[in-house]
Amino acid sequence: MEMIKRTTELKKRLAKAREKKQTVGLVPTMGYLHEGHLTLMRQAKRENDLVVSSIFVNPLQFGPDEDYEAYPRDLAKDEQLAAGAGVDLLFAPEVADMYPNGFGNMAAYVDVDRITKGLCGASRPGHFRGVATVVSKLFHIVNPDTAYFGQKDAQQVAVIRQMVADLNMEVRVVSVPIVREADGLALSSRNVYLSPVERQAARVLSQSLHEAQERLKAGEKNLLDLLDEIRKQITCEPLIHIDYVTAVDAYSFQELSTAAGDVLLAVAAKVGRTRLIDNIIWKG
């Protein structure tokens, strides 16, 4: 595996791959890799000749009171894990390379409308503008055939798919199912923030979604009742403060009250000071 830190160097290396007609898969990450990231990398390796994974904690997608400075980083460990998962090129640029004029001086952004209005878009103003902008930059730098993202960030996947479709980007976007701990907790780099007691309490997020899924399998159609039950279960944990519990169309992100078509049940909550998200997709 090659470690590359400059966009110019990465473009030169990828030009050689294109000369050989190699297919390129891209796995964008913010590092502090876990099994969820490695699952994306392994799938990319199975489906492409060359795999590029980026490790970049993007300041543009963090709000002023969020955890940009504290976000966990361990590039040496990430390098070992990525190599073991089959990554060929690990792209770990500095902020100054990705934002040569300074991210605070940006005048051009990528904004995706409508599907960013609710859920995390409502809670984190500007977040998806930062996500869409940096992913657009990565797509331009790498020019991948396929890009891989985790379903845990379901709204992010929808934003990127919309951007690709609307801006005629020639990249296939693949969403890979959520990877979970044995007790159901969705893997996240931010799980490291949780104390043992908070880690125990956090299980209720996946548990409540799983029970809602079982009710849908049994024929439940009233999503409002399901959402009320999810909220009741989560609020029984005093360490957890709900941001949102919602049911939306899995593609348009319009809120739903009745189960019809593909439904995304999504939750976001603070467990102590740590914000976690989780979701399930019900194929109606």
Side-chain angles (χ1 to χ4, degrees):
M1 186 184 75
E2 298 176 51
M3 167 77 84
I4 297 176
K5 295 196 172 185
R6 301 286 297 180
T7 56
T8 51
E9 184 183 347
L10 181 61
K11 287 180 178 180
K12 287 178 183 177
R13 178 62 179 81
L14 288 170
K16 294 177 181 178
R18 294 298 182 189
E19 288 174 3
K20 298 176 183 177
K21 308 297 183 183
Q22 292 182 316
T23 57
V24 177
L26 171 65
V27 182
T29 83
M30 291 205 301
Y32 212 73
L33 302 180
H34 53 64
E35 185 60 30
H37 299 114
L38 303 183
T39 298
L40 301 178
M41 294 170 181
R42 294 187 194 108
Q43 181 164 336
K45 187 63 175 178
R46 290 193 300 270
E47 298 177 356
N48 298 274
D49 299 318
L50 187 78
V51 176
V52 180
S53 184
S54 60
I55 292 180
F56 180 63
V57 183
N58 175 34
L60 204 61
Q61 69 192 66
F62 287 79
D65 298 320
E66 294 184 340
D67 59 341
Y68 173 68
E69 295 296 339
Y71 194 85
R73 296 163 170 87
D74 191 339
L75 186 57
K77 183 180 178 183
D78 288 347
E79 188 173 1
Q80 293 179 345
L81 291 172
V87 171
D88 299 291
L89 303 177
L90 189 64
F91 180 47
E94 299 292 337
V95 173
D97 194 52
M98 289 296 287
Y99 299 108
N101 295 319
F103 71 90
N105 299 319
M106 292 276 289
Y109 303 90
V110 178
D111 270 311
V112 178
D113 202 5
R114 293 193 297 276
I115 57 176
T116 60
K117 298 301 184 187
L119 287 78
C120 291
S123 305
R124 305 180 68 188
H127 170 69
F128 287 116
R129 181 174 74 169
V131 168
T133 300
V134 78
V135 172
S136 176
K137 289 168 78 73
L138 288 169
F139 284 178
H140 281 90
I141 293 165
V142 177
N143 190 26
D145 297 282
T146 309
Y148 299 82
F149 299 88
Q151 186 201 306
K152 183 174 73 69
D153 298 297
Q155 191 174 17
Q156 172 179 277
V157 175
V159 167
I160 292 164
R161 282 186 168 144
Q162 190 72 51
M163 176 183 74
V164 165
D166 288 349
L167 300 183
N168 299 91
M169 295 180 173
E170 295 184 1
V171 55
R172 183 171 69 103
V173 176
V174 172
S175 175
V176 178
I178 297 171
V179 179
R180 299 182 179 278
E181 300 278 8
D183 62 2
L185 183 68
L187 287 177
S188 169
S189 297
R190 288 187 170 95
N191 287 353
V192 71
Y193 296 156
L194 299 171
S195 70
V197 174
E198 291 168 345
R199 172 66 182 74
Q200 186 81 359
R203 297 183 306 165
V204 74
L205 302 179
S206 61
Q207 290 170 349
S208 62
L209 287 170
H210 175 74
E211 291 183 21
Q213 186 176 43
E214 292 303 307
R215 288 180 60 181
L216 287 166
K217 287 180 182 178
E220 177 66 75
K221 295 293 184 182
N222 189 323
L223 295 175
L224 298 181
D225 285 350
L226 281 182
L227 297 177
D228 281 344
E229 184 58 33
I230 293 171
R231 291 187 191 95
K232 286 177 184 176
Q233 290 185 53
I234 294 174
T235 53
C236 286
E237 287 288 352
L239 295 177
I240 300 183
H241 300 279
I242 293 172
D243 180 351
Y244 62 76
V245 174
T246 190
V248 297
D249 179 273
Y251 308 103
S252 69
F253 275 66
Q254 294 297 306
E255 289 190 354
L256 300 173
S257 59
T258 302
D262 293 351
V263 178
L264 177 78
L265 291 178
V267 301
K270 278 199 169 182
V271 184
R273 299 180 64 181
T274 305
R275 188 177 187 275
L276 299 178
I277 60 174
D278 201 349
N279 67 77
I280 59 166
I281 294 179
W282 168 252
K283 299 283 187 179

